[in-house]
C-alpha cells in the first residue's frame, strides 16, 4: 500500500514535470522571439516573399508567383489595426489593439505580420479559368479610394476594385464591424464581358514553420481544421511536411492556433469545399479552403464570401462563427471537464470581478464537491495505519512464504472491511480535475495579464517573488506531517521528504493562477483532514501518533 501511494505521488510529480516543460516551452526564447517581434521589426515595406495560389484542379499543387514590392492600405477599428496589400488584397499585418504585447504597455500584440524572418499572412482570391489570381501576369493589383480607413460607426466597408483585360470587374470588399475580430470578405463579380466567367474562391493562411521546443504538446502551435465528420483536427507543421492535405467537405473551416490567439477562415457552410495544405519552398506552410467553381453568365453579377477571424480565443465569438470553431481553445483530452470548469470560472468572475478571487472560489467549490472522495481517502489511510501491527505480525508468522502472507493479509482486509487501494483511488480520481484546470488556466485568454492583487499582477505568469510556490511547498510539507500513513522504507522516506521541495521548484515557473489554485486546494485539504481526523478519533479510531 505504501509503495502504491509513493508511486502515485511519483506519477503526479511526473505529470507536473511535463506540465512545467510545456509551460517553459510556451515562454522559451524561440517563441518569445516570434511573439515579441512587433517591438523589434514592424517594417511593412519588406518583401513578404512568394504568394502561393492553389490550382483549381489539384489543391495539392499550388502555383507560385513572385511578388514585387507592395503598397498598403491601413485600417483601424476599435479592436484591430490592419494592413491590406493592394496586390492580391491580402491581410499582411494585424495588431490587436486591446491586447498589449506587454502588460500595461502601449504596443499592441502583433498577430499577423512579418517579424524577424517569420511570416504570418492571411490570403484570399479568385482562381478558376477567369479568376484574376490565376492569371499568368501575377496577382491582381486592386485600387482603393483611400490609403487609410478608420471605423467611425458600427460598420466599415472597404471596396478594392480590379478590372481584368476581358472586362470583368472584381470588387473585393472587406467589412469590419465595431468590437468584432471577424472580418467579412465579399467578392462581387460583375461580368461585363461577352462570355461566361468561371471563378473559384480560395482562402488560406501562410505561416513560417517553427520547430517545437518540447516533446509535450500542450499549448499547440500549428494548423487545425474542421470538416463535416471531423469537428476539430490538428494538422501540425510536421504533418504538412509528411503529406499534403486534401479533404472535400460541406462547410468546414481552417485555422492557425497559438497561445491565447487564433486566426481562422470560415466559408459558407452550405457549400461543398476543399481543405488543402502545402509545405512551401521558403520554409513556410499553408492551409487553405477552396469553394466550388462558380459560373457567372455574361452581363450578370454574383457575390462570393467568406469570413476571417483574427483575434483572441474567445469561445463565444468563435462558436458564433462556426459550431465547432470554439474547439480551437484546445483543452486536450479532458475538454469535457475543462469546458464546464471554464464556464463556472467565468460566472464566478462576473460575480466577483477578480480572476484571483474566482480561482479561489472555484477551488472551494471543487474541493467541496470532492469532499466524499477526500474523506474516503483519509479514512482508508487511517484504517490502514491501524492495521500495521497486525500486518507485521502476519509477516513474522508466515516468514518467507509470500503466498500465504498475501492470502492472510487479504483475508484480514476482508474481515476489517478495509480496501488497500482506498487511499490511492480517491487521490487518483482528483488528478484529472487538476489537469483540466491546468488547461483552463493555460488556454484562457481571459487570464492573460489578469491582475489578482498584492504582488500578483499577472495570473498567467509566474509569481515574480516565488511566494506562492514556497507557500505551496510549506502546505504540502504540513499535509505530509498530518497524514496518518507513515513510510517505513528509508529510500521512500527520503523521497517523500524531498517531494515538497521538488514540487516547489517545479512550480516556480508555473502560472501563478495555477499555483494559487493548488495552494488553496492544499489549505482546504488540511482543514478537511483535521475535521475528518477529529471525527474518527471520537469514534475511537487512532489516527496519529
Amino acid at each position: 500500500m505504501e509503495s502504491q501511494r509513493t508511486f502515485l505521488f511519483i506519477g503526479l510529480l511526473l505529470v507536473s514535470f511535463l506540465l512545467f516543460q510545456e509551460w517553459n516551452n510556451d515562454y522559451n526564447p524561440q517563441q518569445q522571439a516570434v511573439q515579441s517581434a512587433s517591438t523589434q521589426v514592424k517594417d511593412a515595406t519588406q518583401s513578404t516573399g512568394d504568394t502561393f495560389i492553389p490550382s483549381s484542379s489539384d489543391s495539392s499543387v499550388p502555383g507560385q508567383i513572385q511578388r514585387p514590392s507592395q503598397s498598403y492600405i491601413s485600417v483601424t477599428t476599435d479592436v484591430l489595426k490592419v494592413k491590406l496589400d493592394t496586390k492580391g488584397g491580402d491581410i499582411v499585418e494585424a495588431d490587436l489593439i486591446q491586447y498589449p504585447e506587454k502588460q500595461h504597455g502601449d504596443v499592441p500584440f502583433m498577430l499577423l505580420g512579418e517579424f524577424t524572418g517569420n511570416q504570418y499572412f492571411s490570403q484570399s482570391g479568385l482562381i478558376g479559368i477567369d479568376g484574376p489570381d490565376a492569371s499568368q501576369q501575377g496577382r491582381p493589383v486592386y485600387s482603393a479610394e483611400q490609403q487609410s480607413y478608420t471605423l467611425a460607426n458600427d460598420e466599415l466597408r472597404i471596396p478594392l476594385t480590379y478590372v481584368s483585360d476581358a472586362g470583368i470587374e472584381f470588387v473585393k470588399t472587406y467589412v469590419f464591424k465595431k468590437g468584432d475580430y471577424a472580418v467579412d470578405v465579399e467578392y462581387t463579380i460583375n461580368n461585363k464581358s461577352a462570355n461566361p466567367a468561371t471563378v473559384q474562391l480560395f482562402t488560406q493562411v501562410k505561416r513560417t514553420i517553427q520547430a517545437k521546443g518540447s516533446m509535450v504538446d500542450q499549448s499547440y502551435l500549428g494548423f487545425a481544421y474542421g470538416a463535416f465528420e471531423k469537428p476539430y483536427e490538428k494538422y501540425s507543421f510536421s504533418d504538412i511536411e509528411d503529406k499534403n492535405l486534401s479533404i472535400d467537405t460541406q462547410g468546414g473551416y481552417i485555422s492557425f492556433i497559438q497561445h491565447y490567439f487564433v486566426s481562422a477562415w470560415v466559408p459558407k457552410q452550405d457549400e461543398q469545399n476543399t481543405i488543402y495544405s502545402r509545405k512551401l519552398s521558403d520554409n513556410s506552410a499553408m492551409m487553405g479552403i477552396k469553394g466550388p467553381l462558380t459560373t457567372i453568365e455574361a452581363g450578370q453579377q454574383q457575390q462570393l464570401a467568406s469570413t476571417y477571424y483574427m483575434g483572441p480565443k474567445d469561445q463565444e465569438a468563435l462558436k458564433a462563427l462556426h459550431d465547432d470553431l470554439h474547439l480551437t481553445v484546445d483543452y486536450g483530452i479532458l475538454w469535457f471537464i475543462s469546458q464546464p470548469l471554464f464556464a463556472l470560472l467565468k460566472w464566478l468572475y462576473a460575480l466577483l470581478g477578480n480572476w484571483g478571487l474566482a480561482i479561489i472560489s472555484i477551488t472551494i467549490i471543487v474541493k467541496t464537491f470532492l469532499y466524499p472522495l477526500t474523506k474516503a481517502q483519509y479514512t482508508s489511510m487511517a484504517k490502514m495505519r491501524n492495521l500495521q501491527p497486525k500486518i507485521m505480525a502476519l509477516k513474522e508468522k508466515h516468514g518467507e512464504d509470500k503466498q500465504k502472507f498475501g492470502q492472510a493479509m487479504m483475508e484480514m482486509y476482508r474481515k476489517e472491511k478495509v480496501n488497500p487501494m482506498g487511499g490511492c483511488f480517491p487521490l487518483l480520481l482528483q488528478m484529472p480535475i487538476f489537469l483540466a484546470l491546468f488547461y483552463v488556466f493555460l488556454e484562457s485568454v481571459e487570464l492573460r495579464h489578469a491582475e489578482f492583487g498584492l504582488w500578483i499582477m499577472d495570473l498567467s505568469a509566474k509569481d515574480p517573488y516565488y511566494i506562492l510556490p514556497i507557500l505551496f511547498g510549506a502546505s504540502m510539507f504540513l499535509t505530509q506531517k498530518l497524514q496518518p500513513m507513515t513510510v517505513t522504507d528509508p529510500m521512500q522516506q527520503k523521497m517523500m521528504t524531498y517531494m515538497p521541495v521538488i514540487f516547489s521548484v517545479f512550480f516556480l515557473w508555473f502560472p501563478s493562477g495555477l499555483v494559487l489554485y493548488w495552494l488553496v486546494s492544499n489549505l482546504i485539504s488540511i482543514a478537511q483532514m483535521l475535521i475528518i481526523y477529529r471525527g474518527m478519533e471520537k469514534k475511537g479510531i487512532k489516527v496519529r501518533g
Side-chain angles (χ1 to χ4, degrees), residues 105-125:
D106 297 327
V107 179
F109 182 82
M110 177 191 275
L111 181 63
L112 272 66
E114 183 167 9
F115 13 66
T116 59
N118 293 284
Q119 300 175 351
Y120 185 9
F121 304 132
S122 166
Q123 301 173 329
S124 58

Side-chain angles (χ1 to χ4, degrees), residues 23 27 99 103 259-261 312-315 329 331 341-342 345-346 348-350 353-360 362 436-452 456-462 511-517:
W23 181 255
Y27 289 93
Y99 289 86
Q103 192 175 28
H259 195 203
Y260 291 135
F261 303 102
K313 290 180 177 178
D314 183 331
Q315 296 188 53
V329 183
Y331 291 138
L341 285 175
F342 174 73
L345 187 66
K346 280 193 70 175
L348 290 170
Y349 171 75
N354 182 289
W355 285 107
L357 294 178
I359 290 173
I360 293 173
I362 199 173
L437 277 171
F438 173 84
Y439 282 109
V440 168
F441 298 145
L442 180 66
E443 281 288 294
S444 299
V445 69
E446 290 82 357
L447 292 177
R448 183 179 185 264
H449 296 169
E451 296 184 9
F452 174 35
I456 302 298
M457 306 307 293
D458 186 356
L459 289 166
S460 67
K462 67 180 182 180
S512 55
L514 180 68
V515 184
L516 176 65
Y517 158 74

Side-chain angles (χ1 to χ4, degrees), residues 407-460:
Q407 292 174 348
M409 190 165 57
M410 293 306 296
E411 178 64 21
M412 180 187 64
Y413 287 154
R414 188 185 64 80
K415 289 182 178 179
E416 300 290 341
K417 297 181 180 180
V418 174
N419 183 359
M421 292 298 294
C424 292
F425 192 61
L427 182 60
L428 188 63
L429 289 178
Q430 296 177 54
M431 288 175 64
I433 303 292
F434 165 70
L435 294 175
L437 277 171
F438 173 84
Y439 282 109
V440 168
F441 298 145
L442 180 66
E443 281 288 294
S444 299
V445 69
E446 290 82 357
L447 292 177
R448 183 179 185 264
H449 296 169
E451 296 184 9
F452 174 35
L454 301 175
W455 72 96
I456 302 298
M457 306 307 293
D458 186 356
L459 289 166
S460 67

Side-chain angles (χ1 to χ4, degrees), residues 42 74-83 93-97 108 112 176 310:
K42 290 187 74 171
S74 62
V75 183
T76 303
T77 74
D78 57 330
V79 296
L80 290 169
K81 188 174 181 181
V82 173
K83 286 187 177 178
E93 190 172 302
D95 295 339
L96 309 184
I97 296 173
L112 272 66
F176 293 85
M310 44 184 166

Side-chain angles (χ1 to χ4, degrees), residues 304-348:
L304 303 176
S306 188
T307 300
Y308 183 63
Y309 181 91
M310 44 184 166
K313 290 180 177 178
D314 183 331
Q315 296 188 53
E316 293 182 3
L318 293 171
K319 193 171 181 61
L321 287 178
H322 190 285
D323 288 342
D324 302 320
L325 193 57
H326 69 290
L327 296 176
T328 56
V329 183
D330 192 356
Y331 291 138
I333 60 174
L334 296 173
W335 59 269
F336 57 94
I337 302 176
S338 295
Q339 285 185 351
L341 285 175
F342 174 73
L344 176 59
L345 187 66
K346 280 193 70 175
W347 181 81
L348 290 170

Side-chain angles (χ1 to χ4, degrees), residues 58-266:
D58 185 356
S59 64
S60 66
V61 186
Q64 177 175 330
I65 303 170
Q66 189 67 27
R67 298 171 68 98
S69 58
Q70 303 89 353
S71 61
Y72 297 92
I73 300 168
S74 62
V75 183
T76 303
T77 74
D78 57 330
V79 296
L80 290 169
K81 188 174 181 181
V82 173
K83 286 187 177 178
L84 306 176
D85 185 359
T86 56
K87 187 171 183 65
D90 295 332
I91 301 174
V92 294
E93 190 172 302
D95 295 339
L96 309 184
I97 296 173
Q98 296 187 1
Y99 289 86
E101 187 167 312
K102 295 182 179 179
Q103 192 175 28
H104 306 306
D106 297 327
V107 179
F109 182 82
M110 177 191 275
L111 181 63
L112 272 66
E114 183 167 9
F115 13 66
T116 59
N118 293 284
Q119 300 175 351
Y120 185 9
F121 304 132
S122 166
Q123 301 173 329
S124 58
L126 295 173
I127 51 176
I129 298 174
D130 301 290
D133 291 277
S135 171
Q136 293 183 354
Q137 283 73 39
R139 299 193 73 197
V141 178
Y142 289 90
S143 60
E145 295 177 356
Q146 302 171 208
Q147 292 297 306
S148 178
Y149 293 83
T150 301
L151 177 69
N153 300 308
D154 291 336
E155 184 178 282
L156 173 63
R157 299 180 68 89
I158 302 173
L160 309 177
T161 304
Y162 171 78
V163 180
S164 70
D165 294 339
I168 305 172
E169 182 185 62
F170 300 92
V171 181
K172 183 176 186 178
T173 304
Y174 281 92
V175 184
F176 293 85
K177 299 174 183 177
K178 185 177 180 180
D180 203 342
Y181 294 95
V183 180
D184 294 328
V185 181
E186 302 172 352
Y187 273 95
T188 302
I189 304 102
N190 188 2
N191 187 5
K192 298 180 181 180
S193 70
N195 301 305
T198 301
V199 298
Q200 185 177 22
L201 175 63
F202 78 91
T203 55
Q204 62 191 28
V205 173
K206 177 184 178 183
R207 184 65 153 79
T208 299
I209 295 175
Q210 279 186 264
K212 191 162 177 60
S214 171
M215 295 174 61
V216 187
D217 189 21
Q218 303 288 340
S219 183
Y220 180 65
L221 180 70
F223 295 96
Y225 67 90
F228 186 73
E229 296 181 350
K230 294 182 178 180
Y232 173 69
E233 192 76 15
K234 294 178 184 177
Y235 210 71
S236 66
F237 289 127
S238 59
D239 291 330
I240 292 176
E241 289 176 324
D242 291 340
K243 183 181 179 181
N244 292 328
L245 189 68
S246 181
I247 296 177
D248 294 326
T249 180
Q250 180 177 326
Y253 68 87
I254 62 102
S255 65
F256 186 84
I257 305 170
Q258 64 190 76
H259 195 203
Y260 291 135
F261 303 102
V262 61
S263 73
W265 277 107
V266 182

